[in-house]
Amino acid sequence: MKKVVVSAPGKLHLSGEHAVVYGKPAVLVATSKRLYIEIKSQISNLKSQNGISKLKEKDDYLSKIIQLVEKKYKTEIKNCVIAINSDIPIGAGMGSSAALAVATTGALREWLGKPWNPTEINELAFEAEKIQHGNPSGGDNTVASFGGILWFRKEFEFLKSFWLLPFKIPKDFSQFVIINTGRSETTKDLVVGVVGEKKKQLGKKFTKWLDEVENTTKKIVQSIHDEKETGFKQSFQVNERLLEEIGVVSSSTKKLILEIEKTGGVAKISGAGGVKTGSGMVIAFHEKPQILIDMAKKYGYPSFQVQLGGEGVKREEVVV
Ligand code: PMV
């Protein structure tokens, strides 16, 4: 039986989210949490909910990705079943939608017998992300395609420059914990509705804000490169304050972050954020990570530890 399994990682933004939509650099990191797409031949008389024709009838992201691939390669995908398995939290700033777009386009291309090509997978996934998010920078799908720690900048709609940083987060930096504060808004709500509106209100001051974020992003990369934890923590905190200034951090998340800082740690939201309830994923660093785990528990938020710098899109299994 023909079978293809392709996976892609979830990501975290170390710095530069939102500013990256306006051409500033961002640093993204692939995590060890992954999403898997499995495509198998459909046994003809089995009416599965995962059957390709049933999936295409739905008005969800998966069906839009399938239709995009069919249009691109001028073909109809049939006689197969598709299953998704993922341990990436959904809609919380860990790039679950980009991982879905990358793993699905990768798996469908493989199913159609196209040569394995992460660059083409990335480009197609970016087209899908545009359908889903309106005005994405392309950072999420690029880190899901190439993995590692990525310096990313959208120069034009048709030209994105990115660089896989040839170093790692130093082992002697404090340990970090990811706290999921949840969120009610979509990425589009925050990018277009919140930051888009703020840009109109702020006028020239928005350019200043963008420059400050860029400066901070550069300092974060420099301090990882130089293995200077103090500089890293300071810039991380500045980055959080800039995100608060632009209006994408909720009051409950600000409270949590302030409490972390009072115990000697640092934390920032990662990704689009959130205002009405929580702000999605918070990356927190502390010499004593147990303090962070206990604090998350006190607030009623799930927390976990992940490895950073995971692999990009990957062929897990191909049986032809
Ligand atoms: O969807 P999220 O929470 O992973 O955030 C995406 C990051 C933004 O910079 C806010 C948007 C973008 O397209 O880069």
Side-chain angles (χ1 to χ4, degrees):
M1 189 205 284
K2 191 174 163 187
K3 182 178 172 186
V4 167
V5 183
V6 171
S7 73
K11 62 83 204 175
L12 289 166
H13 270 86
L14 285 185
S15 187
E17 53 274 82
H18 286 293
V20 70
V21 174
Y22 300 93
K24 293 296 185 187
V27 178
L28 300 104
V29 59
T31 71
S32 48
K33 292 212 174 278
R34 301 186 75 85
L35 178 142
Y36 297 79
I37 291 286
E38 181 191 82
I39 313 180
K40 278 194 303 197
S41 315
Q42 184 164 26
I43 296 150
S44 57
N45 54 2
L46 192 85
K47 281 219 162 81
S48 161
Q49 280 305 312
N50 292 342
I52 187 84
S53 39
K54 276 250 174 335
L55 292 176
K56 278 196 272 186
E57 279 166 19
K58 292 186 187 167
D59 185 30
D60 61 6
Y61 195 26
L62 180 63
S63 83
K64 287 177 192 155
I65 299 168
I66 298 168
Q67 282 161 35
L68 182 81
V69 173
E70 287 185 326
K71 202 171 155 206
K72 162 89 183 170
Y73 298 113
K74 298 185 181 67
T75 184
E76 192 190 343
I77 298 161
K78 46 191 177 187
N79 303 332
C80 62
V81 287
I82 303 184
I84 308 173
N85 275 304
S86 175
D87 57 6
I88 306 171
I90 294 169
M94 271 195 82
S96 58
S97 97
L100 179 70
V102 168
T104 308
T105 49
L108 288 173
R109 275 178 49 94
E110 196 67 34
W111 186 259
L112 293 171
K114 306 280 171 206
W116 183 251
N117 185 332
T119 301
E120 285 189 9
I121 293 170
N122 187 30
E123 278 164 16
L124 204 48
F126 181 54
E127 293 307 312
E129 286 285 273
K130 283 199 272 191
I131 298 173
Q132 187 74 348
H133 298 301
N135 184 24
S137 62
D140 286 18
N141 48 278
T142 304
V143 75
S145 299
F146 296 101
I149 308 181
L150 191 84
W151 172 270
F152 175 89
R153 194 193 280 263
K154 175 174 153 184
E155 310 289 352
F156 300 98
E157 187 57 33
F158 56 87
L159 195 159
K160 286 139 215 120
S161 53
F162 59 90
W163 197 257
L164 274 170
L165 299 176
F167 45 84
K168 294 192 168 131
I169 308 237
K171 280 205 175 68
D172 57 352
F173 272 25
S174 299
Q175 284 189 42
F176 63 90
V177 171
I178 312 301
I179 302 172
N180 188 357
T181 65
R183 80 180 191 203
S184 325
E185 300 94 333
T186 63
T187 299
K188 193 174 177 176
D189 294 336
L190 294 149
V191 170
V192 182
V194 178
V195 181
E197 284 306 311
K198 199 84 180 185
K199 179 177 182 275
K200 284 185 209 153
Q201 274 171 29
L202 289 179
K204 276 192 185 143
K205 282 193 191 142
F206 188 72
T207 313
K208 191 169 165 269
W209 181 84
L210 289 175
D211 290 343
E212 281 174 33
V213 177
E214 177 169 20
N215 231 342
T216 312
T217 300
K218 285 182 174 166
K219 282 186 184 156
I220 287 178
V221 171
Q222 186 78 55
S223 51
I224 297 174
H225 173 266
D226 298 346
E227 307 198 359
K228 294 267 186 335
E229 190 177 8
T230 314
F232 175 78
K233 281 181 164 176
Q234 276 166 359
S235 306
F236 212 65
Q237 194 173 24
V238 171
N239 195 181
E240 167 57 26
R241 291 287 113 78
L242 287 165
L243 288 161
E244 290 176 10
E245 211 179 281
I246 213 68
V248 293
V249 188
S250 74
S251 49
S252 56
T253 308
K254 282 186 209 164
K255 197 169 155 233
L256 168 75
I257 290 175
L258 215 57
E259 205 171 325
I260 292 172
E261 289 172 356
K262 277 186 191 149
T263 66
V266 286
K268 74 172 271 281
I269 64 153
S270 172
V275 197
K276 290 183 189 147
T277 50
S279 311
M281 290 297 164
V282 165
I283 315 179
F285 285 77
H286 206 292
E287 272 172 26
K288 295 179 185 146
Q290 193 57 44
I291 291 186
L292 301 171
I293 295 166
D294 293 343
M295 205 181 294
K297 212 178 201 169
K298 192 181 94 183
Y299 276 78
Y301 297 139
S303 67
F304 52 94
Q305 288 182 284
V306 279
Q307 276 149 22
L308 297 185
E311 241 184 286
V313 64
K314 188 176 172 198
R315 269 183 301 188
E316 300 282 350
E317 200 182 335
V318 178
V319 183
V320 286

